[in-house]
Amino acid sequence: MLRKLVKHEFRATARVMLPMYLILLVTAVGSNLAGRGMMNGHSDILNTLAVIIVMAFGFAIAGVLLMSFVLMIQRFYKNLLQDEGYLMFTLPVSIHQHIWSKLIVSAVWFVATVLAIIAASLIVAYDVGFLRGFFDFLSWFFEGLQKLKISETLNGTAYLVEFAVLMFLSLAAFSLQFYAALAAGHSRANHKMLWSVVWFFGFQFGLQFLGSMLFITLDRLHIPFPFDLEIHSAEAAIHVGLLMASGFVIVYGAIFYAVTTFFLKKHLNLE
Amino acid sequence: MPVLECKGLTKRFGRVPALEDVSLAIEPGRIVGLLGPNGSGKTTLIKLANGLLTPDGGYMAVCGAPPGRESHGLVSYLPERTAIPTWMSAKQLLDFYGDFYQDFRREAAEEMLERLNIRPAQTIKQMSKGTREKVQLIMVMSREAKLYLLDEPIGGVDPATRDYILSTIIGNYNPEASVVLSTHLISDVEKVLDEVIFINQGRVVLQSTVDDIREEQGKSVDELFREVFKC
């Protein structure tokens, strides 16, 4: 059933995201052509048009980023807590499946958005004179990589992977904080949205307070590092740091997952 | 085994009681009218049976199980509002119901949509309010469910649409199942009911068969309703 939920969630969201990517692509191609025009032309009108197209590309990047974020919240709210919730919560699927379907699809769109922006940026920069510096930088960067030792290359790749995983987990956890606030707020009989905002800031305050208290306590207790890791180098310290950060984010996400599930399972109060 | 059973069911919204100590049982194969004035608790009872609200007290079982994932596969629910996603086309809606409900009869739904001249590519957004309600009803009645919970299916529609809706319900429900139909428009539904439950201010005031009302009290359901709920 999760697969089916994901399928229909993609259907619902693709009709918003795909046109956004298309706009991004069109403005990227337009910006590329505008860049070439600005290099070669001397017409004020054409130059003004070129500037407008490049600005449109900037807006398209901002728009697609904003939309993937807004969609993550809007789908949970509109599809589960508004009128469509009457259909969704009477499907023979579990609350866990509902939450996972929303999380998976949001995460995929976030990743797709990042890839789309990278691809669009490459299109803009492709073979445009004043952007050749960008490619010079890339070739310098990759040449530099080739000169590195194997251990350094592996470390660098591992950092990238660990950082990407951390970002991915952070996005999912951040989504869950919104879901938890919305689910908690909508369990109330009245002023559901107001209560959702209150819950969101309540969670934020609570987490920051608990997190600060935890670090202060650990610092004062002088507890030795729980793992027997001998950190010989800065590289290893960064790995441990990234992995620990991912661990904290997983705990942070798990707390909000549990809160969301609790309210949707035990205190659902659709208007 | 009753398809719907409540014992001492209570629901409050804040301090306002919506249902107080409701106990009832509905057996299979019955068409039951859940009748009461506006705000009497009909929608609350149906929403509780669908797990869309959490009770504050008492017990409720739908097809032997508490409202939840298991019962959702056996209950076909028509909410009092348009809940089908308006961005979907008629075809996507058929895919949606077909994907999630094993008892969904796609051919029957397609035939009914065709009779209303609804094209598969037409989106719900492009339809009038009345057509949306008919499409939602078609989806609900195209399931071979054990229990149909229909919340105000004829509220706010013209008499011709009322006739269409009632004939769709009667012509398509699974005869082994029960249909619970909430309304305050008694005269329109009286002819199709086997049983009635009168609900007022969150309490069940009467549960009886239509035949008993006619034979023992010598009144129609509409007449009795007007007497019980006289302002």
Side-chain angles (χ1 to χ4, degrees), chain A residues 1 4-5 7-8 11-12 15 75 78-79 83-94 97 189-190 265-271, chain B residues 11 13-14 47 50-54 69 72-73 77 79-88 91-93 95-97 99-101 125:
Chain A
M1 284 294 184
K4 290 172 182 171
L5 279 177
K7 177 183 123 183
H8 288 282
R11 259 191 186 176
R15 75 202 163 87
R75 280 298 299 164
K78 200 170 171 227
N79 188 236
D83 288 355
E84 287 177 22
Y86 282 72
L87 177 67
M88 299 308 290
F89 281 121
T90 48
L91 294 176
V93 301
S94 68
Q97 287 169 331
N190 299 306
K265 252 188 181 174
K266 308 283 183 192
H267 295 280
L268 186 62
N269 259 324
L270 278 197
E271 207 164 3
Chain B
K11 175 68 189 173
F13 292 114
K47 279 164 79 173
N50 279 293
L52 298 173
L53 293 174
T54 314
R69 189 181 175 183
H72 294 158
Y77 167 52
E80 97 280 26
R81 60 186 75 194
T82 307
I84 47 178
T86 52
W87 60 266
M88 278 190 187
K91 187 192 167 296
Q92 284 173 328
L93 195 60
D95 291 345
F96 185 88
Y97 269 80
D99 272 351
F100 289 104
Y101 296 110
K125 207 181 281 180

Side-chain angles (χ1 to χ4, degrees), chain B residues 52-127:
Chain B
L52 298 173
L53 293 174
T54 314
D56 292 309
Y59 161 84
M60 185 174 224
V62 180
C63 302
R69 189 181 175 183
E70 194 187 329
S71 70
H72 294 158
L74 305 169
V75 176
S76 197
Y77 167 52
L78 180 79
E80 97 280 26
R81 60 186 75 194
T82 307
I84 47 178
T86 52
W87 60 266
M88 278 190 187
S89 66
K91 187 192 167 296
Q92 284 173 328
L93 195 60
L94 290 166
D95 291 345
F96 185 88
Y97 269 80
D99 272 351
F100 289 104
Y101 296 110
Q102 288 180 339
D103 58 9
F104 184 64
R105 299 170 298 137
R106 189 178 177 119
E107 297 77 27
E110 281 173 338
E111 199 183 307
M112 283 190 266
L113 289 175
E114 209 176 300
R115 250 184 276 150
L116 286 177
N117 293 321
I118 293 170
R119 288 174 288 108
Q122 194 176 347
T123 62
I124 309 299
K125 207 181 281 180
Q126 293 168 330
M127 298 172 190

Side-chain angles (χ1 to χ4, degrees), chain A residues 112-246:
Chain A
T113 297
V114 171
L115 294 177
I117 290 172
I118 292 170
S121 304
L122 291 174
I123 290 170
V124 172
Y126 180 70
D127 203 28
V128 176
F130 69 87
L131 291 167
R132 278 197 190 117
F134 174 72
F135 284 101
D136 291 344
F137 166 76
L138 279 183
S139 61
W140 168 80
F141 180 76
F142 285 110
E143 274 169 26
L145 273 184
Q146 283 169 357
K147 287 176 194 160
L148 291 173
K149 292 178 203 162
I150 290 175
S151 65
E152 288 167 336
T153 315
L154 283 175
N155 262 326
T157 314
Y159 289 151
L160 279 177
V161 172
E162 285 161 9
F163 186 72
V165 168
L166 178 61
M167 287 296 102
F168 191 77
L169 290 172
S170 301
L171 280 171
F174 192 51
S175 304
L176 281 164
Q177 185 174 343
F178 274 98
Y179 294 172
L182 283 167
H186 282 73
S187 68
R188 307 286 304 191
N190 299 306
H191 310 298
K192 291 169 186 281
M193 209 26 138
L194 180 67
W195 276 107
S196 301
V197 175
V198 170
W199 273 102
F200 183 83
F201 286 107
F203 287 147
Q204 195 70 23
F205 175 78
L207 265 183
Q208 279 174 353
F209 180 75
L210 285 174
S212 305
M213 292 307 291
L214 180 73
F215 281 117
I216 291 168
T217 313
L218 285 174
D219 186 47
R220 287 196 180 151
L221 288 174
H222 301 291
I223 298 169
F225 194 67
F227 310 107
D228 191 19
L229 285 174
E230 289 183 12
I231 302 172
H232 291 298
S233 61
E235 283 97 333
I238 294 172
H239 285 306
V240 172
L242 283 169
L243 290 173
M244 279 183 69
S246 295

Side-chain angles (χ1 to χ4, degrees), chain B residues 10-210:
Chain B
T10 300
K11 175 68 189 173
R12 290 184 196 91
F13 292 114
R15 288 179 185 171
V16 183
L19 287 180
E20 284 275 17
D21 196 27
V22 168
S23 298
L24 55 88
I26 295 171
E27 297 298 327
R30 315 285 290 165
I31 301 182
V32 181
L34 186 61
L35 312 176
N38 292 327
S40 55
K42 305 185 294 289
T43 295
T44 303
L45 182 63
I46 289 180
K47 279 164 79 173
L48 282 164
N50 279 293
L52 298 173
L53 293 174
T54 314
D56 292 309
Y59 161 84
M60 185 174 224
V62 180
C63 302
R69 189 181 175 183
E70 194 187 329
S71 70
H72 294 158
L74 305 169
V75 176
S76 197
Y77 167 52
L78 180 79
E80 97 280 26
R81 60 186 75 194
T82 307
I84 47 178
T86 52
W87 60 266
M88 278 190 187
S89 66
K91 187 192 167 296
Q92 284 173 328
L93 195 60
L94 290 166
D95 291 345
F96 185 88
Y97 269 80
D99 272 351
F100 289 104
Y101 296 110
Q102 288 180 339
D103 58 9
F104 184 64
R105 299 170 298 137
R106 189 178 177 119
E107 297 77 27
E110 281 173 338
E111 199 183 307
M112 283 190 266
L113 289 175
E114 209 176 300
R115 250 184 276 150
L116 286 177
N117 293 321
I118 293 170
R119 288 174 288 108
Q122 194 176 347
T123 62
I124 309 299
K125 207 181 281 180
Q126 293 168 330
M127 298 172 190
S128 68
K129 189 175 174 280
T131 310
R132 286 179 197 186
E133 285 179 14
K134 285 176 192 164
V135 169
Q136 189 164 253
L137 178 75
I138 286 171
M139 295 298 142
V140 169
M141 295 315 298
S142 295
R143 288 186 53 202
E144 261 182 32
K146 294 264 181 281
L147 174 64
Y148 298 85
L149 292 171
L150 314 177
D151 195 1
E152 299 280 2
I154 55 168
V157 295
D158 59 82
T161 307
R162 264 179 229 172
D163 287 345
Y164 172 84
I165 289 170
L166 287 175
S167 64
T168 304
I169 294 168
I170 300 307
N172 289 282
Y173 85 102
N174 171 13
E176 289 164 19
S178 278
V179 180
V180 175
L181 204 153
S182 92
T183 187
H184 56 274
L185 302 166
I186 319 298
S187 55
D188 289 291
V189 297
E190 185 170 350
K191 57 185 179 288
V192 303
L193 300 179
D194 297 316
E195 211 171 290
V196 293
I197 296 170
F198 282 5
I199 185 165
N200 193 24
Q201 295 182 336
R203 290 178 183 276
V204 171
V205 291
L206 173 85
Q207 180 170 9
S208 170
T209 64
V210 173

